[in-house]
Structure formats: structure tokens, C-alpha cells
Amino acid sequence: MSIKIIQILKSVNNILLIISCLLITENSQAQKPIGKFQTDSIELGRQIEYTLSYHHNPSAEVFFPDTTYNFYPFEIINRKMYPTVTTNGVSVDSVIYTLVTFDISKNQKLRLPIYLLSKRDCTAVYSLADSVFLKEMIKSPVDSLQLKTDVRLLPLSQQVNYPKILTYILGLLGLVLIIYAFFGRFIRKQYTLFLFGRRHKDFQTNYKKFTRSTLDDVTIGKALVLWKKHLEWLEKRPYTSYTTKEIISRLPNERLEEALREVDSAIYGGILSTQMPSSMEILLEKATELYKNRREELAASL
């Protein structure tokens, strides 16, 4: 009697197991994601939207394909995710993918997975495949078509090639640094001598303006002050405060002494001799002589 009861219990357990498996199978089939195109046809290179949604238990962790997924024969443009909506204990997640195709197959299918996260692994559950038909824009045979030439010029907006400009600037800067590394001392020397000579030329120009104008005590006095300031810059001595006697003791020269006495007579005595232009020229020659000597010393020291 006990053996029959055991057999009956085993039969009941087997029936319950079969029923559980059927329920599990039915439940798993009901939980497939739903993937569907928004239209039933598509044009080559035109965008189309594909909606993927999934109904699941609110406690389940669900992941949808991102932009790195292979959507062949389609290419993804972007995706738009919607927040989870839960109603009567059932949650719904959905994503709209914007796709484009360049495949010339007339019937193109797509099915996408969702991923269920469990404690041990992540299970992929695929939707049923949905199809779209490619619209034929060219009805006639391809062999009968002829290319139409279009020789019209289209205006293009000019663009600045910043990388190329930056390359040129860096190259030029590198060339300048190389030149400066080898010839820096020579360049500094020539530049210093150039500025030195430029200042003397400015003096000559301003001094000659006075000597070419009407020579009177005022003009001669201004020319003498300019001459003394120039000598002061060349010799680094206070020539502007020197008297004629002190200048001669510093720069002994008979012609210069006579010229300075002529200048003093014109400034302080109002006596203008016919030798005044020659005297003014002697002062300029002496300044030029001192400039040349000072320039040679400067060139040797650089």
C-alpha cells in the first residue's frame, strides 16, 4: 500500500514539474522585447525610426543596445531613451533608434536584444524580426541610364587652414632661433652700431638745418647747444657745462679753437664775420671725427 502512495506522489510531482515548465516557457515568451519600424518602407540614405520596448518586473535590471551595437544592415544616427513607466506592477522601458541604410537589398530585417542582468550573468533576449521594404527610385534599367554632365562652377567659401598656418609659424620661429643661435652676437653688434650711427645722422640733419638757415646769434646759439649735447653723448662728459676754454683743453685743436671763438663773438658780442659758415662746418667735422673714433671703440668692445 505504501509503494502505491509513493508512486502516486511521484506522478503528481512530475505533473507539477511539467506545468511549471510550461508556465515558465509561456512567461519567457511573453517577456520578449517588441521591436518595430515606424514605417513599412524606406528610401536609400533616408532616416527611419525603430522602436524597441520591453515589459518586465519592476525589480529587473534591463539594458538596451547603445550606439556601439552592430545594427547591420542599418547604421545608427542617434537614439532617444524614455523613462521607465510602471503600471499595475509591470514596468515598461522603451528606446527609439534613428537609423539609416545604404544597403540595396529590397527586404531588410532587424531584430534587437535587451539584456537582463542577474547575479551570475547578463542574458540577451531578442525581439522578433521586423522588416522594411526599400523603395526603388530608379525604375528603368541601370544599363540604359546616361550620366548628365554639369560643368557649372559652385562658389565655395574660403576656409582658414589653421594647422598649416601654425606649421609655418613654428617653422619660421625655429628658423629664427637657429639663425639667432649662430649669428646672435653678430646681429646684436650690428643692431647696436646701427642705432649708434642713426643717432649721429639725426644730429647731422638737425645741425645742418641751423647752418643752412640765416645765421644770427639765436641760430648759432641753438646750433652750439646741439653740438655740445652730441659731444656729451659721444664722450660721456658734461660738455654742455664746459666753457670754450675747457673744451679746447679737452680737445686741443687750433682750427676748433678759432671756430669756437668766432661762435662766442657772434653769440655774446653780436659780431658776425664772413667766416661763420666755415666755423660752423669745423664744429660739425669735429663731431664727426669723435663719432668715428667712438664707433670703432664700440665695435671692438661688442
Side-chain angles (χ1 to χ4, degrees):
M1 183 66 181
S2 59
I3 295 175
K4 288 183 178 181
I5 293 173
I6 292 173
Q7 290 177 348
I8 292 171
L9 291 175
K10 286 183 177 181
S11 299
V12 171
N13 287 334
N14 290 335
I15 292 171
L16 292 175
L17 181 61
I18 292 171
I19 292 172
S20 299
C21 289
L22 291 174
L23 291 174
I24 292 171
T25 302
E26 182 180 358
N27 187 46
S28 64
Q29 290 177 351
Q31 288 185 352
K32 277 186 175 295
I34 300 172
K36 189 172 182 61
F37 288 104
Q38 298 297 318
T39 58
D40 57 358
S41 61
I42 190 174
E43 296 179 11
L44 199 68
R46 292 290 182 88
Q47 296 181 6
I48 187 173
E49 291 185 342
Y50 178 91
T51 303
L52 182 65
S53 61
Y54 184 62
H55 296 69
H56 59 89
N57 190 298
S59 62
E61 292 288 342
V62 180
F63 300 94
F64 285 73
D66 59 11
T67 54
T68 61
Y69 185 79
N70 184 7
F71 290 82
Y72 182 82
F74 300 91
E75 296 180 14
I76 186 169
I77 302 299
N78 56 55
R79 66 170 182 167
K80 184 177 181 181
M81 303 184 66
Y82 292 88
T84 304
V85 177
T86 303
T87 306
N88 298 327
V90 178
S91 296
V92 180
D93 285 294
S94 58
V95 178
I96 294 181
Y97 298 93
T98 302
L99 308 173
V100 67
T101 182
F102 297 98
D103 195 289
I104 59 174
S105 302
K106 292 184 178 181
N107 186 12
Q108 301 185 24
K109 298 181 179 181
L110 180 66
R111 71 188 192 112
L112 295 179
I114 59 93
Y115 301 95
L116 295 175
L117 181 64
S118 62
K119 293 183 178 180
R120 294 184 178 181
D121 58 7
C122 189
T123 305
V125 182
Y126 283 83
S127 65
L128 297 177
D130 193 25
S131 305
V132 287
F133 297 95
L134 185 66
K135 289 183 180 179
E136 293 186 8
M137 307 303 294
I138 302 175
K139 303 296 183 181
S140 57
V142 178
D143 296 338
S144 63
L145 298 177
Q146 293 183 355
L147 295 177
K148 184 178 179 180
T149 59
D150 188 356
V151 294
R152 292 177 299 173
L153 298 177
L154 297 177
L156 299 177
S157 59
Q158 294 185 352
Q159 296 182 348
V160 180
N161 192 342
Y162 290 105
K164 192 172 184 178
I165 294 176
L166 181 60
T167 301
Y168 286 151
I169 293 175
L170 292 177
L172 182 61
L173 181 61
L175 181 62
V176 170
L177 292 176
I178 293 173
I179 293 175
Y180 189 79
F182 287 97
F183 305 102
R185 183 177 179 182
F186 175 78
I187 293 172
R188 289 194 302 271
K189 177 180 178 179
Q190 295 302 317
Y191 182 69
T192 303
L193 293 177
F194 168 77
L195 294 178
F196 190 77
R198 181 65 178 270
R199 182 160 180 173
H200 181 70
K201 287 183 178 180
D202 290 341
F203 158 75
Q204 286 180 318
T205 301
N206 295 326
Y207 185 84
K208 288 179 180 179
K209 286 181 181 179
F210 290 119
T211 59
R212 289 172 183 172
S213 61
T214 302
L215 290 175
D216 53 21
D217 56 344
V218 176
T219 304
I220 295 172
K222 291 180 179 180
L224 181 63
V225 171
L226 182 64
W227 181 79
K228 286 184 176 182
K229 285 183 177 180
H230 191 60
L231 263 62
E232 190 171 85
W233 171 70
L234 288 172
E235 295 281 299
K236 308 302 180 188
R237 294 179 180 274
Y239 278 92
T240 53
S241 61
Y242 281 1
T243 62
T244 298
K245 185 177 180 181
E246 291 172 330
I247 294 174
I248 297 303
S249 63
R250 174 66 189 165
L251 304 172
N253 184 284
E254 292 183 4
R255 296 180 66 236
L256 178 62
E257 183 178 358
E258 292 178 3
L260 287 174
R261 294 190 185 283
E262 290 282 342
V263 171
D264 287 344
S265 297
I267 295 174
Y268 303 110
I271 302 173
L272 297 173
S273 68
T274 56
Q275 301 296 323
M276 186 57 62
S278 176
S279 298
M280 300 298 292
E281 186 66 26
I282 292 173
L283 295 181
L284 179 60
E285 290 176 359
K286 188 61 179 179
T288 302
E289 177 187 344
L290 294 175
Y291 159 74
K292 290 180 179 179
N293 294 336
R294 178 62 182 144
R295 191 180 191 279
E296 291 178 0
E297 294 175 1
L298 182 63
S301 63
L302 294 175

